[in-house]
Amino acid sequence: MPYRHNIRFRIFVTYPVLGLLLGLFMLVFLKISFQSLERRFLDSYLTEELDHFINLAEKDPDLTLTRSKNWVVFKGDDSNPYPELMFLSRYRDGIHDVVRNQHGYDVAIKTQNRMRYTLIYDDTDFEELEHSLILYLLTAVLIILCLAIWYGLWFSKKVIEPVTSLASRIKLLDPEKASGYLAEDYTDDEVGILALEFDAYSRRLQALIQREREFTGNASHELRTPLAVIMAASEGLLAKPDICADTARRVERIHRAAREMADRLDTLLTLARTPVSADEDSDKTDLADLVEQLVDDHSVLLAGEVKVIKEIQGHPAVLAPRPIVSMLMGNLIKNAFLYTREGSITIRLTEHEFAVEDTGQGIDEKDLGRIFDRGFRGSLSRGCGLGLAISKRICEHYRWRLTVDSVKQAGTLVRWRFG
């Protein structure tokens, strides 16, 4: 499952979240601990002070009241109650938390020898101490959170730095050139293992590239030889003075096709090994002359009752090698000639577009989305599934646009926009 955030962010955010959780846990724990200790201390303190006053009162019957800074103790009975203690009449013996006039008190009550003893303790100091403690704890939580954020940023950078370094080095690698092994510069950790595996992949890639170079070299040599034989033989036939005009025209077509095949072979091998940017091409190809030649070359594919209509406006040209443009336009014309058994084929050429429209068998709607896939053959196809794929690749390389509109059993319209 893909993650929504990168690794460094996930490492970084762990520390502030952990710091915040630990800080909140410490805050809650200390607050509960402080309140528990406060309760135990006050209960013990109030009980001792009240018992001490009772001992003194039993020795001195006239002692009925004692005051201190934070507490006051009363002695009384039901026949002589203190007016200020009336609000405590409903409380039984024990220690109670009492709120009066929005002020909190701890009250200890004990009845002994028919006398009621009451100790009222003002816990304002404890509350202020508790508030100060909470403030200090909140400050500590904020400090911990800031430290966690700083450490998370620093640590995530340190952890990801080897991965970033490896990615930068991989980005600079040229797959066609052998380079030093990446794993030599990394320790035996996860990043080192990743570099080691990439080195293994790089070696396999280099071997594949080497085999491809050998194949293209061999293919170039083996294909040029029969083409050279065909061109030499056709030139010899054309040089004979007694050759008839019809034969000469056919031999000239054979010679021209062999020459163009050799040019296409050179261009395709060059593009396969070292693709040239479309902006670097300086060859200018006249499309009007090329249309006439391609129609003539592929005329043998036409059914006898099919009419070819050519609508050429001006002499548009493109910056691309002639063999490449010839291959692109030839594929489009060949498909129209091959799959049209009746009706007409209209070839239009304007300053910005080349279009071929036919009344042939068309393309099934379910196949339209895959006609540019290499090796794909539709239900009505008789080819090998490479022509349109090559044409699409050429258009992508030169930033041209190639579109196909078709209706089954009604015809096809192919547009190549180069302007």
Side-chain angles (χ1 to χ4, degrees):
M1 182 181 70
Y3 291 99
R4 296 177 60 184
H5 302 287
N6 56 38
I7 297 177
R8 183 180 180 184
F9 177 80
R10 297 201 298 272
I11 295 175
F12 155 70
V13 78
T14 301
Y15 288 91
V17 171
L18 181 61
L20 181 62
L21 292 177
L22 289 177
L24 292 177
F25 173 77
M26 181 179 66
L27 177 64
V28 174
F29 175 77
L30 291 180
K31 179 176 174 56
I32 294 175
S33 300
F34 180 82
Q35 290 178 340
S36 175
L37 291 174
E38 176 190 5
R39 184 74 271 161
R40 291 172 60 185
F41 169 77
L42 286 178
D43 289 352
S44 175
Y45 174 71
L46 295 179
T47 301
E48 290 180 359
E49 290 296 329
L50 186 58
D51 289 341
H52 178 67
F53 177 78
I54 292 174
N55 291 332
L56 294 178
E58 289 180 346
K59 294 177 181 180
D60 184 3
D62 296 331
L63 181 61
T64 59
L65 178 66
T66 301
R67 293 182 181 274
S68 178
K69 176 182 178 182
N70 296 317
W71 54 264
V72 58
V73 184
F74 297 91
K75 182 181 76 170
D77 53 20
D78 294 337
S79 61
N80 187 26
Y82 286 92
E84 58 265 35
L85 298 181
M86 292 300 296
F87 72 97
L88 296 175
S89 59
R90 59 188 179 88
Y91 288 96
R92 297 173 177 267
D93 289 1
I95 299 177
H96 310 277
D97 289 323
V98 179
V99 177
R100 182 174 176 79
N101 298 328
Q102 298 182 349
H103 197 85
Y105 299 93
D106 290 302
V107 178
I109 301 174
K110 187 175 183 180
T111 303
Q112 185 171 314
N113 297 328
R114 294 181 298 176
M115 300 299 295
R116 182 180 174 92
Y117 298 91
T118 305
L119 187 151
I120 301 175
Y121 178 81
D122 186 353
D123 59 1
T124 303
D125 292 343
F126 268 101
E127 290 182 357
E128 291 179 354
L129 180 62
E130 183 179 355
H131 293 159
S132 298
L133 179 61
I134 293 175
L135 181 62
Y136 294 150
L137 290 176
L138 288 175
T139 304
V141 170
L142 291 177
I143 293 174
I144 291 173
L145 184 60
C146 292
L147 291 175
I149 292 174
W150 171 82
Y151 185 77
L153 288 172
W154 176 83
F155 185 70
S156 62
K157 181 180 178 181
K158 285 295 182 181
V159 170
I160 298 301
E161 189 172 354
V163 180
T164 306
S165 173
L166 179 61
S168 300
R169 293 187 59 182
I170 292 174
K171 186 178 180 180
L172 297 175
L173 291 180
D174 187 349
E176 296 189 1
K177 297 180 181 178
S179 57
Y181 295 132
L182 299 174
E184 297 175 351
D185 300 328
Y186 295 92
T187 58
D188 189 18
D189 55 7
E190 288 78 3
V191 180
I193 294 174
L194 181 62
L196 191 64
E197 292 299 325
F198 188 85
D199 285 340
Y201 173 77
S202 180
R203 287 193 292 269
R204 294 194 299 270
L205 182 62
Q206 290 294 330
L208 180 63
I209 292 174
Q210 182 62 31
R211 288 196 300 270
E212 182 183 358
R213 286 174 177 171
E214 293 175 358
F215 170 78
T216 53
N218 295 336
S220 176
H221 176 270
E222 296 299 327
L223 290 176
R224 280 197 182 100
T225 301
L227 289 174
V229 172
I230 294 173
M231 287 189 288
S234 59
E235 289 173 357
L237 290 174
L238 290 172
K240 288 185 176 183
D242 56 345
I243 188 172
C244 66
D246 183 62
T247 303
R249 188 173 62 255
R250 294 177 184 275
V251 173
E252 184 178 351
R253 180 180 295 171
I254 292 172
H255 182 270
R256 185 171 66 243
R259 186 177 64 250
E260 288 186 356
M261 187 179 295
D263 292 339
R264 290 183 181 184
L265 176 63
D266 290 337
T267 303
L268 287 175
L269 290 175
T270 300
L271 288 175
R273 282 181 280 194
T274 55
V276 179
S277 171
D279 299 330
E280 298 177 3
D281 276 321
S282 59
D283 297 337
K284 193 172 185 179
T285 302
D286 189 298
L287 301 182
D289 294 339
L290 191 56
V291 168
E292 297 291 348
Q293 176 189 321
L294 291 172
V295 170
D296 182 58
D297 290 343
H298 293 88
S299 59
V300 294
L301 301 175
L302 276 173
E305 59 273 14
V306 176
K307 182 180 179 181
V308 178
I309 303 170
K310 291 179 286 186
E311 301 176 358
I312 300 177
Q313 301 176 12
H315 285 79
V318 294
L319 285 175
R322 184 182 178 90
I324 290 293
V325 181
S326 175
M327 186 181 306
L328 169 60
M329 298 175 69
N331 282 331
L332 306 184
I333 292 174
K334 180 185 70 175
N335 286 340
F337 283 15
L338 188 62
Y339 295 104
T340 303
R341 299 291 90 188
E342 60 182 11
S344 64
I345 298 173
T346 303
I347 300 175
R348 288 189 294 271
L349 179 63
T350 65
E351 291 296 327
H352 304 291
E353 183 181 83
F354 171 74
V356 180
E357 185 175 8
D358 63 60
T359 58
Q361 64 186 27
I363 304 172
D364 200 333
E365 184 178 359
K366 65 182 178 61
D367 296 335
L368 270 176
R370 300 186 58 193
I371 57 175
F372 294 123
D373 294 347
R374 185 176 180 85
F376 174 75
R377 299 178 59 187
S379 56
L380 303 176
S381 175
R382 297 195 298 272
C384 56
L386 295 177
L388 285 177
I390 293 174
S391 301
K392 185 67 172 179
R393 179 70 179 272
I394 293 173
C395 289
E396 290 175 350
H397 179 75
Y398 286 94
R399 294 191 290 274
W400 296 330
R401 186 181 178 188
L402 183 65
T403 59
V404 177
D405 297 310
S406 183
V407 177
K408 190 175 180 180
Q409 303 303 332
T412 302
L413 173 60
V414 183
R415 289 190 178 95
W416 164 41
R417 287 197 60 84
F418 50 82

